[in-house]
C-alpha cells in the first residue's frame, strides 16, 4: 500500500514504536470517547478512524460524529455485531444469512444438556469481546465443558455452535451504511502452532488473495452474507458505517458465516492492504460520509502477500514483555505490541509483537520473502509459525 497523497498530517493514539515514525503519537485512552473527541478537535481532524473493537463498542464513533467530525467506524449499536455473538446470530437469522446453528447458555445448570445437543466437535465461544481468544474448538467434551464453565464462572454467557467444516475465508468490506465495497479475500491461521496445533490465538499469520478460490467467491459472499446484514442493520435504525469483517467457512453447502467483526483485524489486514494501490484514506472518508457509491473500482497489485506474526514468549497465555526488539525498522515489519524506551530501545509490550509481510508474484515467492524478513528481526523467546500459506502454495487447499 502506497502513501496516500491526500494525507498531510496523521495523529495516532495510543500508538506504538512503529507508528511513531509515521504519525504524532498521543497517550490518549482510545476507550474514552471524550478523550478521542478532544484530540480530534485539537487537531481539527478531517477524519477519525477508530480501529479497535473496544472503543467502538464503547461508543467512540458516536461521540466523534456527534462532535461534527467524520468518523470511520460503526456506532455502538451497530458494533454489537462483534460485541455480542448472540446479537450477531439474531441479526443473521433475521437477514437469512447462512450460519452455524447455535445456543446461548447463561446458567451452569443448563450447560450439560446443551453440550449434549452439540458435538462430536464442540465450538464454545465467549459471547462478548475476547480478542480472538475466547473460542475453543475441540472433539473432547471435557475440554469444551471446562472452557464453558470458566466463562460462566466469570459471568460471561456462553455461545455453543455447530462445527462448520471446509476451509475458512476472511473478507473485509468497506460499508457506508448501505453500499458494500469488498476487499481481497484472505485466509488466516488461528492456532498457535504449525499444522494447526495448540490453542486459538488472535491470529498467527495470513495470506491474500486465495489462489484456490472460485472466481465468484467474493460476490457470492457479499450477496448472501454481507449485504443482507448491512440491510438488516439499516432496517433496525442502526446502519453500519466502517469496516465489516466476515469470517466464513466454505462448506459443502456454500459459504456460512462463523463470525462478524466491526473493524480491520490482523493479521489479514496487513496482507490485504499490502496489495492495495487505491489510496486508503479517501476510501475511509467515502465510507464515513456515505460516498462509497461514487468510488472507482479498487486497484490491486498483481501477486500475493503473506503475513507472519512474531509473538512473545508465553503467548497466547500471559506473554513475557519488556524484551528488546531489534530489526523492527526493516521493510515489511509492522509493529503491534511495542513501545520505545527512554534510552531509544524498542521493547515488547504485548503478545503479538510484530507482523512481518512479504509480497511476490506467486504465493511461494511471497512466503519466501516474508520468512526472509522474519529472519531479520530478533526478540528473545519469541515464536512464530513456519507454515503460513504453505498448503495453499502447494495446492493442497480445496473446497
Amino acid at each position: 500500500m502506497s502513501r496516500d497523497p491526500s494525507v498531510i498530517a496523521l495523529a495516532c493514539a495510543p500508538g506504538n514504536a512503529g507508528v511513531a515514525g509515521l504519525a504524532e503519537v498521543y497517550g490518549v485512552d482510545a476507550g474514552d470517547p471524550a478523550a478521542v473527541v478532544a484530540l480530534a478537535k485539537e487537531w481539527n481532524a478531517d477524519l477519525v478512524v477508530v480501529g479497535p473493537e473496544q472503543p467502538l463498542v464503547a461508543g467512540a464513533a458516536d461521540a466523534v460524529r456527534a462532535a461534527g467530525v467524520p468518523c470511520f467506524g460503526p456506532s455502538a449499536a451497530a458494533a454489537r455485531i462483534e460485541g455480542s455473538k448472540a446479537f450477531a446470530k439474531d441479526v443473521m437469522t433475521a437477514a437469512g444469512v447462512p450460519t452455524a446453528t447455535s445456543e446461548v447458555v447463561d446458567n451452569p445448570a443448563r450447560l450439560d444438556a446443551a453440550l449434549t445437543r452439540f458435538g462430536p466437535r464442540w465450538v464454545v465461544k465467549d459471547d462478548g469481546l475476547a480478542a480472538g481468544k475466547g473460542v475453543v474448538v475441540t472433539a473432547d467434551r471435557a475440554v469444551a465443558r471446562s472452557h464453558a464453565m470458566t466463562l460462566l464462572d466469570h459471568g460471561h454467557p456462553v455461545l455453543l455452535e455447530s462445527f462448520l467444516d471446509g476451509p475458512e475465508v476472511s473478507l473485509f468490506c468497506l460499508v457506508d451504511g448501505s453500499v458494500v465495497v469488498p476487499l481481497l479475500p484472505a485466509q488466516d491461521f488461528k492456532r498457535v502452532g504449525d499444522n494447526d496445533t495448540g490453542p486459538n490465538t488472535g491470529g498467527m499469520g495470513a495470506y491474500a488473495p486465495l489462489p484456490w478460490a472460485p472466481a465468484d467467491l467474493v460476490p457470492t459472499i457479499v450477496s448472501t452474507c454481507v449485504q443482507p446484514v448491512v440491510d438488516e442493520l439499516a432496517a433496525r435504525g442502526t446502519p453500519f458505517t466502517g469496516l465489516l469483517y466476515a469470517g466464513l467457512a466454505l462448506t459443502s453447502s456454500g459459504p456460512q458465516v462463523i463470525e462478524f467483526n466491526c473493524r480491520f483485524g490482523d493479521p489479514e489486514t496487513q496482507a490485504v492492504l499490502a496489495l492495495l494501490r487505491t489510496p486508503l484514506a479517501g476510501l475511509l472518508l467515502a465510507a464515513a460520509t456515505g460516498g462509497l457509491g461514487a468510488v472507482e473500482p479498487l486497484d490491486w497489485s498483481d501477486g500475493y502477500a503473506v503475513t507472519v506474526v512474531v509473538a512473545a514468549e508465553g503467548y497466547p497465555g500471559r506473554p513475557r514483555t519488556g524484551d528488546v526488539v531489534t530489526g523492527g525498522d526493516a521493510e515489511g515489519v509492522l509493529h503491534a505490541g511495542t513501545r520505545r524506551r527512554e534510552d531509544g530501545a524498542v521493547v515488547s509490550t504485548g503478545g503479538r509483537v510484530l507482523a512481518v509481510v512479504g509480497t511476490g508474484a506467486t504465493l511461494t515467492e511471497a512466503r519466501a520473502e516474508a520468512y526472509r524478513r522474519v529472519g531479520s528481526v530478533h526478540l528473545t523467546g519469541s515464536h512464530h509459525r513456519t507454515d503460513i500459506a504453505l498448503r495453499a502454495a502447494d495446492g493442497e487447499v480445496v473446497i
Side-chain angles (χ1 to χ4, degrees):
M1 182 177 66
S2 59
R3 182 186 180 103
D4 191 326
S6 69
V7 177
I8 58 173
L10 186 65
C12 184
N16 57 44
V19 79
L22 303 171
E24 292 190 37
V25 175
Y26 292 83
V28 170
D29 179 4
D32 181 351
V36 175
V37 169
L39 179 59
K41 287 185 173 181
E42 176 186 340
W43 259 63
N44 292 319
D46 297 306
L47 174 67
V48 172
V49 178
V50 182
E53 62 273 31
Q54 290 92 346
L56 291 167
V57 171
D62 302 85
V64 171
R65 277 191 282 268
V69 181
C71 184
F72 180 85
S75 65
R80 291 183 68 204
I81 198 75
E82 178 173 2
S84 168
K85 294 175 179 63
F87 173 78
K89 286 292 186 181
D90 180 68
V91 171
M92 283 188 274
T93 298
V97 170
T99 186
T101 58
S102 65
E103 182 176 343
V104 176
V105 178
D106 58 7
N107 186 324
R110 297 175 47 210
L111 178 60
D112 286 316
L115 286 170
T116 300
R117 290 190 283 273
F118 289 83
R121 289 182 68 86
W122 285 268
V123 181
V124 184
K125 297 182 177 182
D126 188 334
D127 181 55
L129 297 176
K133 293 182 287 184
V135 180
V136 163
V137 180
T138 180
D140 188 327
R141 180 185 173 117
V143 171
R145 188 181 191 281
S146 175
H147 182 60
M149 284 300 300
T150 298
L151 295 175
L152 291 170
D153 286 345
H154 286 83
H156 295 198
V158 171
L159 186 78
L160 299 178
E161 283 189 344
S162 59
F163 176 73
L164 299 177
D165 59 357
E168 293 188 12
V169 172
S170 299
L171 185 65
F172 294 122
C173 294
L174 303 172
V175 182
D176 68 359
S178 58
V179 176
V180 174
V181 175
L183 306 184
L184 291 178
Q187 186 176 62
D188 77 331
F189 295 75
K190 290 293 189 188
R191 300 283 188 173
V192 70
D194 285 358
N195 300 313
D196 292 328
T197 57
N200 270 0
T201 70
M204 294 298 294
Y207 67 95
L210 310 177
W212 46 266
D216 64 347
L217 176 64
V218 170
T220 297
I221 292 173
V222 171
S223 64
T224 63
C225 301
V226 180
Q227 191 70 58
V229 163
V230 170
D231 294 343
E232 174 64 21
L233 289 173
R236 295 183 179 205
T238 57
F240 189 98
T241 298
L243 194 288
L244 187 58
Y245 158 94
L248 311 104
L250 302 186
T251 72
S252 56
S253 58
Q256 295 199 43
V257 175
I258 299 171
E259 64 177 350
F260 280 106
N261 290 340
C262 63
R263 37 76 200 190
F264 279 112
D266 53 4
E268 301 101 316
T269 298
Q270 291 90 329
V272 170
L273 294 188
L275 300 172
L276 180 65
R277 286 177 173 168
T278 302
L280 180 62
L283 294 174
L284 303 185
L285 182 62
T289 56
L292 283 179
V295 167
E296 296 291 328
L298 303 187
D299 184 20
W300 297 97
S301 298
D302 294 331
Y304 297 84
V306 171
T307 302
V308 179
V309 169
V310 177
E313 180 179 341
Y315 181 81
R318 183 183 296 276
R320 171 174 159 170
T321 60
D323 289 310
V324 173
V325 179
T326 58
D329 57 352
E331 183 179 1
V333 180
L334 306 176
H335 290 233
T338 66
R339 67 175 178 87
R340 191 173 295 277
R341 281 192 324 212
E342 290 184 3
D343 63 1
V346 174
V347 297
S348 60
T349 62
R352 291 185 297 167
V353 181
L354 304 170
V356 183
V357 183
T359 58
T362 67
L363 199 50
T364 298
E365 291 176 9
R367 288 191 76 252
E369 182 65 6
Y371 281 106
R372 183 188 69 78
R373 290 174 172 175
V374 168
S376 72
V377 302
H378 178 74
L379 170 64
T380 299
S382 67
H383 60 95
H384 63 272
R385 284 185 58 161
T386 65
D387 63 345
I388 302 301
L390 178 59
R391 291 185 63 241
D394 289 344
E396 296 177 2
V397 180
V398 294
I399 300 177

